[in-house]
Amino acid sequence: MPPSTRWSLLLGGAVSAGALYLAFRNVPLGMLWRYLGSVDYRFLFLALVLVGLVLVAKALRWQVILGATRQVAFMQAFHPMIIGFMLNCILPGRLGELARPAILRQQSQVPFATGLGTVLAERILDMLTLLALFAWVLSDLDLGRGKAVTLGGHQLDGPVILAAGRATLYMALMAVAAVVLFTREPVRRHALNIIRGLVELFPGLSASRRQWIENRVILPLGAGLDHLASGLVLTRRPWRLLGCIALSALIWLLTAFSYHVLTIGFPGLQLHLSQTGAMMVVICFCIALPSVPGWWGLWEAGGVFALSFFGVAAGPALAFTLVNHAAQVFPVILIGLVSMLISGMRLDTIGKLTRRFQGTPD
């Protein structure tokens, strides 16, 4: 393991431990442990089964997205996906999003930019689905009622959640606009011609230097844009796109069920599925904010904030969100480690692949 990766792991672990300390320093731990001891953990097992089904559905969706440009087997999609998810849980900066197409390139010969385009398409589907769910949450929760929660140094209130929703909307609109534009070959060619025109603004460049820019910058950039567009070609395959939309709805529904099943095992935590779904959406917007690896602290703050609307006290709310957080994250880390062993990947190898393909068109 290279020193940079080792230090990233150590730093991520230290920051996560600090966030957990801040989250729990004002909570009576004796009461918390007694409450955790009264939980029926058979429902935790059922929640873990649902988490596993969510991961299978996500891998199937990515396989369908990839199939619009390159056919891959289910496990060829699953291993890079789960390893990328695992890296997002333990390393800062969501590096797993870059590692996933790099691993796919290494194992299935799918160009890095194409794989990156499919990851972008997947994220757009998730953002649009989350926005639809957020619109439903706004009809069920009054985020302007003045409720606020401070946990682990994070203060959450209605305006913060609404701001996160607006930011997600703007990002989704920009991403959709970019997809619409750059999946069209004339637009890409026009963009390259604009770059060539900018080069012409420097009359002092020699012919050899201009040729170097053409060969080393413009042509590779054009190839990269073509590969990226091929990863986004899903948008021009209506039936495949509808299938991915259906899988996205299934993924979020299964995730909400995994939250809800776990609430059944917590004494005194009686929530409707719609309320559990609202909590899930609020947590998703909270962990979109800058945070430590694994989203420790922000996840709990979002859960306590959402549950406060349904009359759940801070202690039981924190206990539930802590167990739910572990149920959602730890299986990803464990399965990701197993996938690394099966596929023969190592952290240092993944780091080298990511640095090699990042910004380098195939």
Side-chain angles (χ1 to χ4, degrees):
M1 183 184 298
S4 59
T5 303
R6 187 182 304 114
W7 280 111
S8 293
L9 285 171
L10 290 175
L11 179 61
V15 174
S16 295
L20 282 177
Y21 166 75
L22 291 173
F24 286 98
R25 63 177 180 174
N26 295 322
V27 176
L29 295 182
M31 181 194 72
L32 179 63
W33 288 119
R34 286 194 299 272
Y35 187 79
L36 289 174
S38 64
V39 174
D40 187 343
Y41 285 97
R42 291 176 298 177
F43 292 97
L44 174 60
F45 174 76
L46 294 176
L48 292 175
V49 171
L50 289 169
V51 170
L53 291 176
V54 168
L55 295 176
V56 171
K58 286 184 175 182
L60 181 59
R61 181 181 62 176
W62 195 35
Q63 182 189 18
V64 173
I65 295 173
L66 284 165
T69 183
R70 183 77 61 88
Q71 294 295 327
V72 298
F74 175 81
M75 296 308 295
Q76 288 177 306
F78 182 82
H79 288 311
M81 182 203 74
I82 196 66
I83 293 172
F85 287 172
M86 178 201 68
L87 294 177
N88 283 340
C89 292
I90 64 175
L91 294 178
R94 295 184 181 270
L95 295 177
E97 307 294 10
L98 293 176
R100 201 202 312 189
I103 299 170
L104 183 70
R105 168 67 178 85
Q106 176 75 7
Q107 297 189 339
S108 302
Q109 309 309 311
V110 176
F112 176 83
T114 300
L116 190 61
T118 62
V119 173
L120 176 59
E122 181 184 273
R123 287 290 164 260
I124 291 173
L125 285 170
D126 278 334
M127 281 194 294
L128 293 176
T129 308
L130 185 60
L131 285 170
L133 291 171
F134 187 53
W136 161 69
V137 167
L138 289 178
S139 67
D140 194 51
L141 290 182
D142 182 6
L143 294 179
R145 285 192 299 174
K147 286 184 176 289
V149 170
T150 300
L151 187 65
H154 303 288
Q155 180 171 337
L156 295 178
D157 53 23
V160 170
I161 302 300
L162 290 173
R166 284 193 296 269
T168 303
L169 175 60
Y170 298 150
M171 289 174 58
L173 291 176
M174 289 188 293
V176 170
V179 168
V180 171
L181 288 175
F182 282 95
T183 52
R184 285 158 175 75
E185 195 272 342
V187 174
R188 300 196 300 275
R189 300 285 75 81
H190 185 62
L192 293 177
N193 289 333
I194 291 175
I195 296 175
R196 289 189 179 95
L198 292 175
V199 174
E200 295 298 327
L201 295 177
F202 298 92
L205 290 176
S206 64
S208 61
R209 179 60 63 181
R210 292 175 189 276
Q211 189 61 44
W212 183 90
I213 294 175
E214 177 73 20
N215 294 334
R216 300 296 297 273
V217 177
I218 296 178
L219 291 179
L221 178 60
L225 289 176
D226 287 341
H227 285 310
L228 183 65
S230 69
L232 296 168
V233 76
L234 171 74
T235 58
R236 299 168 66 180
R237 304 285 190 272
W239 290 109
R240 195 173 287 270
L241 178 60
L242 287 174
C244 288
I245 292 173
L247 282 170
S248 297
L250 177 64
I251 287 167
W252 286 93
L253 182 62
L254 287 174
T255 303
F257 268 116
S258 71
Y259 281 45
H260 187 68
V261 164
L262 192 57
T263 65
I264 300 174
F266 276 72
L269 201 63
Q270 297 179 349
L271 299 175
H272 301 298
L273 180 59
S274 60
Q275 295 172 325
T276 310
M279 173 182 57
M280 176 190 70
V281 173
V282 171
I283 289 176
C284 286
F285 277 115
C286 289
I287 63 177
L289 301 171
S291 62
V292 299
W295 313 284
W296 297 102
L298 270 178
W299 186 301
E300 284 71 25
V304 172
F305 173 72
L307 288 173
S308 68
F309 282 89
F310 308 125
V312 180
L318 181 58
F320 170 79
T321 52
L322 177 65
V323 174
N324 180 53
H325 189 177
Q328 299 292 327
V329 170
F330 288 163
V332 171
I333 297 175
L334 293 176
I335 298 173
L337 291 173
V338 172
S339 280
M340 286 182 64
L341 292 174
I342 293 174
S343 57
M345 303 299 298
R346 300 185 313 184
L347 281 178
D348 55 347
T349 304
I350 294 171
K352 291 176 182 177
L353 288 174
T354 303
R355 289 190 295 271
R356 174 185 173 190
F357 293 119
Q358 185 178 1
T360 305
D362 294 72

